[in-house]
Each structure stands twice: as C-alpha cells, then as structure tokens.
Amino acid sequence: MASLFVVLAYSVCRCQSEQKQMILTIEMDSLVLTEGDEAEIRLRIHGITSKINSYTFRLEYEMASKFRKQRMRKKKNIVWNPQEGDSITLSEMITECDSYHIQICSVSWEDLTGMYKVKKEFNKQISFLVMPKRYEMGFMQEKIARRDLMEQGFEYDGVRKYQEGDRISRVHWNLYAATGGLWVRKNEEEEEERVKIGLSLDDIEKDRISDYMAAFYSISFFLKSQGVIQEIYYGEHKYLLCHIEQYEELFTDIFCGKYELSSDPMEHLYKIPLCEKGQDLQKFLYDMEL
C-alpha cells in the first residue's frame, strides 16, 4: 500500500510539473484550402521532457465560420508519442467554403495511474480561408478554341465584328478583303472588355451557399482566363477583378466583410444563377455570347 502511495504521489507531482511547463504553438502548412479539403492543424508541444511512450490528450477547441456565423465547441482525443516528435495533428474535414477560425481552448490528460487528471487552459488561435470548388468548362473551352482557330492567321487586335449602327468610317477594309467579314476598329472604351457580375443570396438556402459560390467562382474564373476584367458587386460593395491572383483576396472580403448579399443593386448586371452542374454554368456563359 505504501509503495502504491509513493507511485501515486510521484505520478501526481510529475503531472503537475508537466502542466506548468507545457507550451503549445499552433500552425498550418497552408492557410488557403479548397472546399472538400482536410484542414490539418499542427500543434507543437514544448516543455515536456518525459520518456513516457505516449500521452492521450483531450483537446477542447472551438471552430467558427465568419460568413455563416456558426460556432461549434468540440472535443477530441489525440495520442502523442514524445519519442516521435514534438507535434500532433488535429484534422478537420471542411465541406463548405468560408473563412474559418479555430481556437484551442484546453488540453487535459491523466497521470500514469489514471487516478489523477490535469487540464491546462490555452488561447491559441489560427484563421484560414476555404475557397469554393471550381467546375471545368470543357464545352466553352472548345468553343473558344474553335473561334481562335477560325481567326488564326489574321491580325484582330483592336477590332471587333461589325454591329448595326457602327459608322462606315470605322470599318477595317483590309480585314474585310482578307476575310469577307465586316470588322470595325474599337474605340478606347471598347479596348478593355469588362463584365459586371452581381452576387445575391436572396433566394439561396443557407445549405446551398457553397454551391452558389462554386457557380460564381467557375464562371468568373473562366471569364478571367479569357482576359475579361470583371466588376463584382455584392451588397453595396464593388470589387474590380483584374488578375487571377485576386481570388483569395476577393473571397476573404466576401466572407469577412459583413456584407448583406442582396439583389438591390442588380440592375444591368449579370446575376449569377444557382446551378447544379458544370453544364448549366456553361449554358449561362454561352448565353452571355462570349
């Protein structure tokens, strides 16, 4: 009995010492993910120098989404072997695009006997962005390729097809002689092609927001890949999208900006539809007469 008491006393003292010395840091390899990815949050443990083969930590953490304003308190057991390294991984499957915030609230574990338990409070936080999924636009890519093939061999920079009402003085007669088609020289306002796109969640159920954002991202990305500059309207805000590298900034602003995505400013804008499949999105693009 005395020996059992000694073991228990030693185990409790060791556990209390670990509690005081334990330092926790939190990091991720990438702070930008895509819907459907698994977020791997790496927790690094410092201050514990025990030669025990493994610990079973009870993590308590909070996960919040900024755009949907959802907050969940979670608990998870994770095994850590000090001999294999100083880190453990907390994994979360992300099924919806949004801006997420994870806070590690506490870590608890038992002593060697299982009769004593310690808990250390933390306030370690990390935020990351989850982008929408994006559909491939095979049919529209083929359409653009066919158009480019038809135009191959001619210099089309600075011109467009003739439209009723265009002045005859703007007709490119050398191009007409080469192709048999009427083309006119663009003016300065036409040189920079722009499309105005409006985002509205008025008729979108909360569980379909990710599908809606995927539809927008797919359409917008295709337009940008064709060199089309876009004015994106959401709420009372306008975002000028000139480069593909801007999408992370755009979605961060949408998810974190506290905008009301309503249909008020939707006049004269292309309103993104909620589409089930990539084919529906391609039909929308086709109707835009690219």
Side-chain angles (χ1 to χ4, degrees):
M1 180 65 70
S3 60
L4 178 59
F5 177 78
V6 171
V7 170
L8 178 59
Y10 168 77
S11 181
V12 169
C13 290
R14 184 190 59 80
C15 218
Q16 291 175 340
S17 175
E18 291 174 344
Q19 180 189 27
K20 292 178 181 179
Q21 296 174 6
M22 186 181 191
I23 299 173
L24 189 71
T25 58
I26 181 172
E27 59 188 36
M28 293 178 66
D29 288 336
S30 175
L31 297 178
V32 180
L33 307 176
T34 301
E35 178 186 338
D37 286 349
E38 189 172 51
E40 295 188 345
I41 299 95
R42 188 161 55 251
L43 310 176
R44 293 196 178 277
I45 300 169
H46 309 279
I48 296 181
T49 58
S50 172
K51 296 182 180 180
I52 296 176
N53 288 333
S54 67
Y55 289 78
T56 298
F57 290 129
R58 179 74 164 174
L59 294 179
E60 186 172 349
Y61 60 100
E62 190 173 85
M63 185 170 179
S65 57
K66 292 187 178 180
F67 188 72
R68 291 173 175 79
K69 297 179 175 61
Q70 295 175 338
R71 191 178 297 273
M72 295 172 288
R73 193 88 170 186
K74 297 187 174 186
K75 296 180 180 180
K76 185 175 290 188
N77 289 337
I78 297 183
V79 176
W80 175 54
N81 186 339
Q83 314 309 318
E84 295 180 354
D86 62 357
S87 66
I88 55 178
T89 301
L90 173 63
S91 299
E92 282 284 344
M93 181 61 67
I94 309 297
T95 59
E96 295 178 317
C97 59
D98 208 321
S99 178
Y100 289 90
H101 181 81
I102 288 182
Q103 176 184 345
I104 305 298
C105 302
S106 66
V107 179
S108 57
W109 66 100
E110 297 178 344
D111 74 332
L112 288 172
T113 66
M115 300 173 64
Y116 182 74
K117 183 178 180 180
V118 292
K119 181 177 182 180
K120 184 156 187 176
E121 304 289 340
F122 288 101
N123 184 23
K124 299 297 181 179
Q125 306 176 33
I126 194 167
S127 298
F128 57 94
L129 173 69
V130 177
M131 300 279 288
K133 58 190 173 185
R134 179 165 55 84
Y135 299 105
E136 294 298 327
M137 299 294 175
F139 170 75
M140 289 303 299
Q141 293 286 4
E142 292 176 5
K143 178 187 174 184
I144 297 296
R146 288 196 301 269
R147 183 196 67 184
D148 293 343
L149 184 62
M150 292 175 61
E151 296 175 356
Q152 190 174 3
F154 301 99
E155 181 56 59
Y156 280 74
D157 288 343
V159 299
R160 61 167 173 78
K161 288 185 178 180
Y162 175 85
Q163 298 175 358
E164 185 177 352
D166 286 334
R167 296 196 307 272
I168 296 299
S169 60
R170 292 176 59 193
V171 173
H172 196 303
W173 294 112
N174 290 338
L175 202 53
Y176 170 73
T179 66
L182 283 177
W183 299 81
V184 297
R185 294 177 177 84
K186 292 182 179 180
N187 56 36
E188 292 182 0
E189 294 179 353
E190 293 174 313
E191 287 292 340
E192 187 181 74
E193 185 177 4
R194 291 194 182 190
V195 169
K196 296 182 178 181
I197 295 177
L199 301 180
S200 172
L201 297 179
D202 283 351
D203 302 319
I204 308 299
E205 297 293 333
K206 199 168 186 177
D207 62 349
R208 302 300 307 280
I209 291 176
S210 286
D211 295 328
Y212 181 80
M213 290 299 175
F216 159 66
Y217 186 28
S218 302
I219 291 170
S220 176
F221 191 92
F222 176 81
L223 292 174
K224 192 71 226 61
S225 69
Q226 302 304 315
V228 179
I229 294 175
Q230 300 157 57
E231 294 178 9
I232 314 298
Y233 292 82
Y234 42 97
E236 298 179 353
H237 189 69
K238 180 183 80 171
Y239 187 94
L240 183 62
L241 183 69
C242 302
H243 307 286
I244 285 180
E245 292 78 14
Q246 290 179 262
Y247 280 108
E248 291 178 13
E249 181 183 68
L250 171 61
F251 281 109
T252 298
D253 192 48
I254 291 173
F255 294 148
C256 301
K258 299 181 181 179
Y259 302 107
E260 293 294 333
L261 271 63
S262 65
S263 61
D264 293 339
M266 302 298 278
E267 292 184 10
H268 311 301
L269 305 180
Y270 287 106
K271 184 177 179 180
I272 296 297
L274 177 61
C275 300
E276 300 289 342
K277 301 176 181 178
Q279 291 90 332
D280 298 328
L281 299 177
Q282 294 181 86
K283 182 180 183 302
F284 176 81
L285 283 168
Y286 190 87
D287 293 340
M288 290 176 72
E289 299 182 351
L290 285 177

